């Protein structure tokens, strides 16, 4: 069996696709159940966040596994396979391990170094364990990923390279101002009471907002979050809980709104936001015009003008700053004739006495000068940018951390409103600086991947070694029983001494080969040593398989498993 991951993330797919492909809790459960029910897979785990959807599985066939996992992702996400396929990535074996470890360290996050992904990986493992879709491989993999992520954060300064998505989003809202200065005294509305919303509420409270209002469909959870904020030792913020139907009223009082719910539709429409702004300013917010498609001008009809020596109608269309597309490949004499025609004179190309290179340089220069002055060479010109009137200062700041989005994207065009959502965060994070510690984290990931691979390969041969030693013990027992039949008068002392001697001989003979085969099996490509051992000692495959099953049974039983 082999590890395979198929998925898509903010690095491979646009936000619009991620938004449509998002999986709610029920869809994730059904996806896991269908994956382990499929033929190529025996284990499965789903890592679904606002920035990624990944399906991990232990498969026995690579190509069949990729096809099956891709199809299942398409079915459960609701995005057709043909549309989804261009955005999918596939990692296999060590590359799959490397990918998850990088994700756990925050190297693959939208904001490099953020630590929230560790909690999401932990939740994914817990879900797979609860549904019994995680076996030995995925249990080992995800638990090790959590350890690697914690090691990266404790041994390096990766935390300095980035921050949580919440903090990064608030920084984008603050427009370069320190978040503490920007937030001080503001009233905040947090919609949702999950882990991301709770983090947003706590961050706003620590940043100095005057009040945090929590709205959630389950009012008890909103009350619980408000109570935690009120009782916190590091803030003195006022906090209260309201039902979801009070959100329109709260919009008339809030300065900052953070929304992160699991809703499949919009929580805040553009009309609701506009009404909230109007109630604050006394007039409806203006709406900026939607950006129009860039106009494309046709080429100037130079080739059709009377007397022009060039037929430019066959020139391939395309944007050309100085008409390079039109003159590319033309000989110097033709260019000379065209330049003379543009200048209003005539030139007999046969009477030129200058060298070809000299003429080329001068004529092309003359043609370019003429073209830039009178526009005789066909060009595709971009339209002049239209100056937009300055937008008024925002009176309402919106941070949408949900996937799919909670807040209508049309809000971007409302004057007096600033919206930061997953899409704008992705654009902003592309230029975010990375700390030097990132290189150290990458080295940690590489080392941990190698160690994990060696451990897995060594574990693969363990059942074979156990089966070999079991067979040797059976042989010793059989020979001792035969000896007792031939020497019935053998006393207990001598029988014990003979038995111990035979066992020592067998152990010494097996010690070096079994130790060495474990070392060799831990190296890349070492899986074949288990097969060689089974062949050389004629081990029963069913005996080896029974040892493996016993180990998996122990691994799945929480009472027999040590701490993670």
């Amino acid at each position: 069996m082999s590890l395979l991951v198929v998925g898509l993330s903010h690095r491979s797919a646009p936000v619009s696709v991620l938004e449509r492909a998002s999986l709610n809790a029920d869809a994730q459960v059904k996806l896991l159940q269908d994956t382990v029910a499929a033929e190529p897979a025996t284990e499965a785990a789903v890592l679904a966040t606002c920035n990624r959807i990944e399906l991990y599985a232990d498969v026995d066939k690579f190509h069949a596994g990729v096809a099956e996992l891709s199809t299942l992702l398409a079915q459960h996400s609701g995005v057709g396979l043909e549309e989804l396929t261009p955005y999918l990535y596939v990692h296999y074996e060590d590359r799959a391990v490397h990918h998850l470890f990088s994700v756990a360290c925050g190297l693959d996050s939208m904001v490099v170094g953020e630590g929230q992904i560790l909690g999401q990986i932990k939740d994914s493992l817990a879900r797979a364990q609860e549904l019994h879709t995680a076996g030995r491989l995925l249990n080992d993999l995800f638990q090790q990923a959590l350890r690697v992520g914690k090691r990266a954060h404790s041994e390096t300064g990766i935390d300095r390279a980035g921050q949580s998505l919440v903090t990064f989003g608030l920084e984008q809202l603050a427009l370069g101002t320190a978040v503490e200065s920007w937030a001080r005294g503001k009233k905040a509305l947090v919609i949702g009471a999950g882990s991301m919303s709770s983090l947003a509420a706590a961050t706003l409270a620590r940043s100095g907002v005057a009040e945090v209002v929590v709205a959630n469909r389950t009012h008890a959870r909103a009350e619980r979050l408000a109570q935690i904020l009120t009782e916190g030792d590091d803030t003195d913020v006022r906090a209260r809980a309201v039902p979801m139907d009070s959100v329109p009223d709260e919009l008339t009082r809030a300065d900052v709104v953070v929304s992160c719910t699991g809703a499949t539709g919009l929580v805040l429409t553009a009309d609701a936001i506009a009404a909230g702004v109007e109630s604050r300013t006394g007039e409806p917010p203006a709406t900026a015009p939607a950006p129009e498609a860039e106009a494309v001008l046709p080429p100037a009809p130079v080739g059709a003008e009377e007397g022009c020596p060039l037929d430019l109608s066959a020139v391939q269309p395309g944007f050309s700053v100085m008409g390079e597309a039109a003159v590319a490949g033309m000989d110097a004499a033709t260019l000379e004739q065209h330049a003379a025609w543009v200048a209003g004179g005539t030139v007999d190309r046969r009477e030129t006495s200058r060298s070809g290179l000299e003429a080329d340089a001068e004529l092309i220069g003359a043609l370019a000068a003429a073209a830039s002055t009178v526009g005789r060479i066909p060009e595709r010109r971009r339209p002049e940018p239209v100056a937009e009137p300055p937008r008024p200062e925002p009176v309402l700041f919106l941070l949408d951390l949900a996937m799919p989005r909670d807040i209508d994207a049309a809000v971007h065009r409302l004057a007096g409103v600033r919206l930061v959502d997953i899409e704008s965060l992705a654009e902003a994070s592309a230029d975010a600086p990375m700390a030097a510690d990132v290189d150290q984290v990458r080295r940690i990931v590489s080392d941990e991947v190698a160690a994990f691979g060696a451990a897995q390969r060594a574990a693969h041969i363990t059942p074979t070694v156990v089966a070999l030693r079991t067979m040797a013990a059976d042989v010793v027992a059989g020979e001792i029983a035969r000896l007792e039949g031939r020497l019935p008068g053998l006393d207990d002392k001598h029988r014990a001494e003979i038995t111990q001697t035979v066992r020592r001989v067998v152990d010494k003979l097996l010690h070096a080969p079994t130790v060495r085969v474990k070392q060799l099996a831990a190296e890349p490509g070492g899986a074949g040593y288990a097969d060689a051992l089974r062949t050389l000692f004629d081990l029963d495959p069913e005996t080896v398989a029974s040892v493996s099953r016993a180990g998996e049974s122990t691994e799945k039983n929480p009472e027999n498993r040590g701490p993670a």
Side-chain angles (χ1 to χ4, degrees):
M1 304 300 286
S2 301
L3 178 64
L4 175 68
V5 56
V6 177
L8 66 161
S9 74
H10 65 99
R11 295 185 182 275
S12 69
V15 172
S16 58
V17 175
L18 280 172
E19 186 176 41
R20 291 169 52 211
S22 62
L23 301 171
N24 59 32
D26 292 339
Q28 292 179 44
V29 170
K30 191 67 168 64
L31 175 58
L32 285 173
Q33 292 171 337
D34 289 352
T35 301
V36 293
E39 183 179 345
T42 58
E43 301 181 34
V46 173
L47 179 57
T49 72
C50 58
N51 297 325
R52 72 182 65 253
I53 304 164
E54 296 177 344
L55 179 56
Y56 291 78
D58 187 10
V59 299
D60 59 358
K61 298 173 185 174
F62 173 74
H63 294 290
V66 171
E68 187 66 34
L69 267 58
S70 302
T71 301
L72 288 169
L73 274 175
Q75 288 176 351
H76 291 277
S77 68
V79 180
L81 181 60
E82 185 175 346
E83 181 182 359
L84 192 64
T85 298
Y87 305 111
L88 293 177
Y89 48 78
V90 174
H91 297 297
Y92 190 57
E93 293 287 41
D94 284 354
R95 289 302 308 170
V97 177
H98 189 282
H99 175 73
L100 181 60
F101 287 3
S102 297
V103 169
C105 293
L107 292 179
D108 198 59
S109 296
M110 184 180 294
V111 181
V112 174
E114 62 93 10
Q116 295 177 52
I117 188 64
L118 284 174
Q120 293 161 335
I121 291 174
K122 185 178 180 180
D123 292 342
S124 296
L125 175 59
R127 185 182 302 108
Q129 289 174 336
E130 182 181 352
L131 296 171
H132 305 291
T133 63
R136 170 177 288 176
L137 176 60
L138 292 186
N139 267 299
D140 290 349
L141 175 69
F142 274 68
Q143 289 176 7
Q144 186 63 25
L146 292 171
R147 285 189 283 265
V148 173
K150 292 174 183 176
R151 179 188 170 193
H153 284 278
S154 64
E155 294 184 12
T156 75
I158 189 67
D159 292 328
R160 296 193 299 269
Q163 57 243 292
S164 73
L165 202 60
V166 170
T167 306
F168 190 62
L170 293 177
E171 287 183 351
Q172 297 304 304
L173 284 181
L175 289 170
T177 305
V179 172
E180 290 76 11
S181 301
W182 166 82
R184 187 170 297 115
K186 284 184 168 59
K187 296 179 180 179
L189 170 62
V190 176
I191 304 176
S195 58
M196 188 73 78
S197 299
S198 300
L199 178 61
T203 303
L204 286 166
R206 287 193 298 269
S207 298
V209 295
E211 182 184 43
V212 176
V213 178
V214 183
N216 192 59
R217 297 192 186 280
T218 305
H219 191 61
R221 295 189 66 182
E223 289 182 324
R224 175 59 180 158
L225 177 54
Q227 181 183 3
I228 292 173
L229 294 172
T230 304
E231 296 174 352
D233 295 332
D234 54 347
T235 68
D236 55 357
V237 68
R238 298 190 306 273
R240 56 188 175 89
V242 299
M244 285 294 290
D245 55 14
S246 298
V247 166
D249 291 336
E250 296 298 334
L251 283 174
T252 66
R253 293 184 284 271
D255 302 300
V256 185
V257 179
V258 179
S259 187
C260 186
T261 73
T264 55
L266 293 176
V267 175
L268 295 177
T269 64
D271 290 340
I273 298 297
V277 174
E278 183 178 358
S279 68
R280 297 170 63 99
T281 62
E283 56 184 30
T287 303
E292 297 182 358
E294 189 176 85
V296 179
L297 301 181
V302 176
E305 294 188 29
E306 183 178 357
C308 178
L310 303 181
D311 179 13
L312 299 176
S313 60
V315 173
Q316 292 293 323
F319 181 72
S320 178
V321 177
M322 287 294 291
E324 297 96 334
V327 301
M330 293 183 182
D331 61 89
T334 305
L335 291 177
E336 179 186 10
Q337 191 81 356
H338 184 268
W341 175 79
V342 168
T346 59
V347 174
D348 187 344
R349 69 183 66 183
R350 294 170 298 181
E351 294 179 359
T352 179
S353 59
R354 290 171 296 178
S355 69
L357 290 175
E358 205 174 24
D360 283 357
E362 291 184 15
L363 290 172
I364 291 174
L367 177 60
S372 64
T373 302
V374 299
R376 291 291 186 178
I377 298 296
E379 295 180 27
R380 295 281 179 137
R381 295 187 179 89
R382 298 186 185 277
E384 293 294 326
V386 179
E388 294 185 5
R391 293 171 66 94
E393 287 296 318
V395 297
L396 183 60
F397 296 85
L398 306 171
L399 178 57
D400 185 358
L401 298 174
M403 183 66 70
R405 71 186 75 208
D406 280 347
I407 302 176
D408 190 348
V411 170
H412 278 295
R413 299 202 298 271
L414 292 180
V417 177
R418 176 162 173 77
L419 169 62
V420 171
D421 53 20
I422 293 295
E423 193 163 14
S424 53
L425 284 175
E427 294 173 358
S429 66
D431 299 324
M434 295 175 63
D437 299 87
V438 169
D439 287 338
Q440 186 178 351
V441 174
R442 286 179 176 148
R443 288 193 293 271
I444 289 175
V445 168
S446 296
D447 293 343
E448 292 284 357
V449 169
F452 183 82
Q456 289 296 308
R457 287 188 291 269
H460 176 71
I461 203 170
T462 297
T464 302
V465 172
V466 171
L468 174 60
R469 290 193 171 275
T470 301
M471 183 191 74
D474 291 342
V475 170
V476 170
E479 291 302 318
I480 294 298
R482 181 181 302 178
L483 181 63
E484 289 180 347
R486 297 176 61 181
L487 299 173
L490 196 65
D491 58 61
D492 293 342
K493 179 180 179 181
H494 289 92
R495 183 187 301 108
E497 185 65 32
I498 293 172
T499 301
Q500 187 65 23
T501 300
V502 174
R503 286 176 177 169
R504 281 198 299 267
V505 170
V506 171
D507 287 343
K508 288 183 178 181
L509 288 174
L510 292 181
H511 176 72
T514 54
V515 170
R516 184 58 179 150
V517 78
K518 285 183 178 181
Q519 294 172 343
L520 293 171
E523 298 175 359
Y529 289 102
D531 297 332
L533 204 61
R534 288 193 293 270
T535 301
L536 288 172
F537 288 92
D538 195 23
L539 297 177
D540 182 5
E542 181 55 35
T543 302
V544 177
S546 65
V547 174
S548 298
R549 288 193 295 269
E552 291 174 2
S553 176
T554 302
E555 183 70 22
K556 291 180 180 180
N557 187 345
E559 296 179 358
N560 297 329
R561 197 168 56 230

